[in-house]
Amino acid sequence: MGFSLGSVVVRLGLKSGTDATPVDSITLCVALLCACILIGHLLEKNRWMNESITALSIGLCTGLIILLTTEGKSSHLFLFNEQLFFIYVLPPIIFNAGFQVKKKQFFRNFMTIMLFGAVGTLISFIIISLGSVQLFNKLNIDFLDTMDYLALGAIFSATDSVCTLQVLNQEETPLLYSLVFGEGVVNDATSVVLLNAIQRFDLSHITSSIAMKLFGNFLYLFATSTLLGVAVGLVSAYIIKKLYFGRHSTDREVALMILMAYLSYIMSELFNLSAILTVFFCGIVMSHYTWHNVTESSRVTTKHAFATLSFIAEIFIFVYVGMDALDIEKWKFVSKSPCRSIGVSSILLGLVLVGRAASIFPLSFISNLTRKSQSDKIGLKQQVVIWWAGLMRGAVSVALAYNQFTNSGHTLLPGNAMMITSTISVVLFSTVVFGLVTKPLMRVLLPKTQSSNELSCELADSVDSKSLALPLLGNGKERESDADINIPLPTSKRMLPWDPTHTVHHYWRKFDDAFMRPVFGGRGFTQYVPASPTQWTLL
């Protein structure tokens, strides 16, 4: 029997519309992910391309091939499933974001990050929702109700800063990287919480009491989701610290950390909370306490395991979005009124630009008023970078659009089909067009200074590249490196920024050292165990 690639493509294309997941589809999907990694590696130093655009391009090409070989019956390997995305694909991405975050910079700029991620998202939400109501009426679009307009505000408030983060250097611009990274995660969580709150209320007739209930429900979801993530993270730290699985088997440590992280996400879904926010803060707590209670081999394993799972999930999402952009089912409805579809996409893209500017620049001005040091203020070029990073829309927007406008991946109404295709159009345009310009724009706005190059050369022999910025960010009491090796801290005053003693971070450190770490463990507070395979990591 001969092997025919065309017959396999035809076969998987015909089966992708069913609930079953054929082996052919899984095989080709894995091959596509491998191709994305290889091509992304080859194009890593390209001035224009990045991994997101590469995955989208491969997804588009694959979708086109499947569409042609199946004679227009299908363009993707799998039918979109909200459960697949929210339960299996999204958790490793968000958890790794919290697990890998540089906590000093994140909490040092916590108020600014919350200002951008929460308040800024609400501003964008209001502008996009109200703007859609006013401008869509001029296109004679009458198939949307109040909930749909509010849902559009939540959908297009979810940013995707992956393209910009791939370009930014965390060591050279720690403040800017922390703001873009932290705001992106909080922004996604806020958008999901907003949509969940909107879908819980009857918004056909909005009154002041309903608006207050909506806002109260938003605050409730935000607070309880955060507390749940912190609680699960602390429980995992306490269990591993007391039982110390590593003396017998590091596999148990790694398995428990992975399962506890996923448990926080599933519990949040079970209680109808914001799982994104829960698993993000669980990741932060586990990296601060749990990770320091395990053996060195477990640290290395978990660090790379979480990063690898997140990397694969991100590639899979962009590949799927690329393939789904050619879904013939949705475009059949849109082809009957292409002008209106183009108008809707243009309006939404314009509102995204305006809403982003209306949130970032005024909030940056407010944030600068609270920053005493001139070096800590957010400059105009940095504000432009933050604004630009939030212009791109990604997988979260697509998933929320499917959640609001489809039923199990199928578009049943022409109006819903237009909303889905418009969302995909905005995602593709912003990711590809804005993403292509990101690298050249960053080089113009953030040119590498000679001082940063000299600093890199000065510390290259003694400090790992991932740990370069760590002595610059803290007060020398704690370092967040992959391995807590004993590196003498620099004594030069120019490398030690002003470190205030009467701040929230200062008082938290005192409380953490006095109460939290003795109970839950952590760097410097993990009990010495003679059977430990690595004694120096417990110092």
Side-chain angles (χ1 to χ4, degrees), residues 43 45 63 74 145 165 175 179 210 243-244 258 263 268 326 346 349 376-377 391 435-436 438 442 453 456 496 498 535:
L43 299 177
K45 295 184 179 180
S74 178
D145 55 22
L165 290 174
L175 171 63
L179 292 178
I210 292 179
L243 300 181
Y244 195 73
I258 294 175
L263 179 64
S268 185
L326 300 176
S346 301
L349 185 62
D376 288 338
K377 292 184 180 296
L391 292 181
L436 286 173
T438 297
M442 295 302 109
N453 293 335
S456 300
L496 295 175
W498 176 69
Q535 299 177 2

Side-chain angles (χ1 to χ4, degrees), residues 482-503:
D482 290 348
D484 302 327
I485 51 180
N486 294 320
I487 301 176
L489 294 178
T491 57
S492 175
K493 292 182 179 180
R494 66 184 176 87
M495 299 185 65
L496 295 175
W498 176 69
D499 184 29
T501 56
H502 299 287
T503 62

Side-chain angles (χ1 to χ4, degrees), residues 56-309:
L56 270 176
S57 302
I58 292 177
L60 284 169
C61 294
T62 305
L64 181 61
I65 294 173
I66 298 175
L67 193 64
L68 294 175
T69 53
T70 59
E71 299 179 354
K73 295 181 179 180
S74 178
S75 66
H76 41 66
L77 304 174
F78 304 105
L79 186 66
F80 181 85
N81 189 305
E82 294 173 23
Q83 190 177 38
L84 171 68
F85 180 81
F86 283 103
I87 302 298
Y88 302 110
V89 179
L90 193 60
I93 298 176
I94 303 301
F95 177 81
N96 186 66
F99 193 77
Q100 302 284 356
V101 68
K102 298 296 183 183
K103 295 184 289 295
K104 283 191 180 70
Q105 277 294 323
F106 181 82
F107 286 104
R108 182 182 180 185
N109 302 294
F110 184 75
M111 295 306 298
T112 303
I113 289 173
M114 294 302 296
L115 197 64
F116 288 155
V119 180
T121 303
L122 290 174
I123 294 174
S124 297
F125 163 76
I126 294 172
I127 291 176
I128 294 173
S129 298
L130 295 179
S132 299
V133 173
Q134 298 298 323
L135 297 177
F136 282 7
N137 289 333
K138 297 182 179 180
L139 296 178
N140 297 322
I141 295 177
D142 55 0
F143 52 80
L144 297 178
D145 55 22
T146 303
M147 178 180 290
D148 291 330
Y149 283 114
L150 293 176
L152 284 176
I155 290 168
F156 287 96
S157 296
T159 64
D160 190 342
S161 54
V162 173
C163 290
T164 306
L165 290 174
Q166 290 174 354
V167 178
L168 289 179
N169 189 310
Q170 189 171 4
E171 283 73 34
E172 294 179 359
T173 55
L175 171 63
L176 186 58
Y177 189 96
S178 175
L179 292 178
V180 172
F181 175 84
E183 188 250 344
V185 176
V186 176
N187 167 275
D188 287 345
T190 305
S191 300
V192 174
V193 171
L194 271 175
L195 187 62
N196 290 341
I198 291 169
Q199 292 175 340
R200 292 185 180 188
F201 290 91
D202 180 13
L203 302 177
S204 56
H205 301 286
I206 298 181
T207 61
S208 58
S209 60
I210 292 179
M212 290 300 296
K213 288 181 180 179
L214 182 64
F215 183 71
N217 187 260
F218 170 79
L219 294 179
Y220 167 78
L221 289 174
F222 212 95
T224 52
S225 302
T226 302
L227 291 176
L228 178 60
V230 172
V232 175
L234 291 177
V235 169
S236 69
Y238 184 81
I239 291 175
I240 291 180
K241 178 176 180 292
K242 288 298 182 181
L243 300 181
Y244 195 73
F245 294 92
R247 78 180 72 188
H248 302 296
S249 171
T250 59
D251 296 338
R252 293 193 180 100
E253 285 184 328
V254 176
L256 187 63
M257 284 189 67
I258 294 175
L259 291 175
M260 290 291 286
Y262 190 63
L263 179 64
S264 70
Y265 190 90
I266 295 301
M267 287 180 63
S268 185
E269 287 286 338
L270 178 66
F271 298 137
N272 294 320
L273 303 177
S274 174
I276 291 180
L277 208 60
T278 298
V279 77
F280 175 72
F281 279 97
C282 180
I284 292 179
V285 173
M286 289 184 73
S287 68
H288 189 63
Y289 297 108
T290 312
W291 191 71
H292 295 284
N293 296 340
V294 300
T295 60
E296 180 191 6
S297 58
S298 296
R299 295 183 190 184
V300 175
T301 302
T302 52
K303 198 86 169 179
H304 290 288
F306 292 138
T308 301
L309 292 173

Side-chain angles (χ1 to χ4, degrees), residues 327-345:
D327 186 11
I328 197 67
E329 180 187 68
K330 293 185 284 291
W331 290 105
K332 282 181 179 178
F333 293 111
V334 177
S335 61
K336 299 177 181 179
S337 55
C339 294
R340 284 209 305 174
S341 178
I342 295 174
V344 169
S345 300

Side-chain angles (χ1 to χ4, degrees), residues 3-14 24-25 27-28 69:
F3 174 79
S4 174
L5 179 61
S7 63
V8 171
V9 174
V10 172
R11 208 161 60 241
L12 66 88
L14 294 175
D24 298 335
S25 298
T27 303
L28 186 55
T69 53

Side-chain angles (χ1 to χ4, degrees), residues 29-41:
C29 182
V30 174
L32 286 176
L33 295 179
C34 294
C36 288
I37 295 174
L38 293 174
I39 297 175
H41 174 72

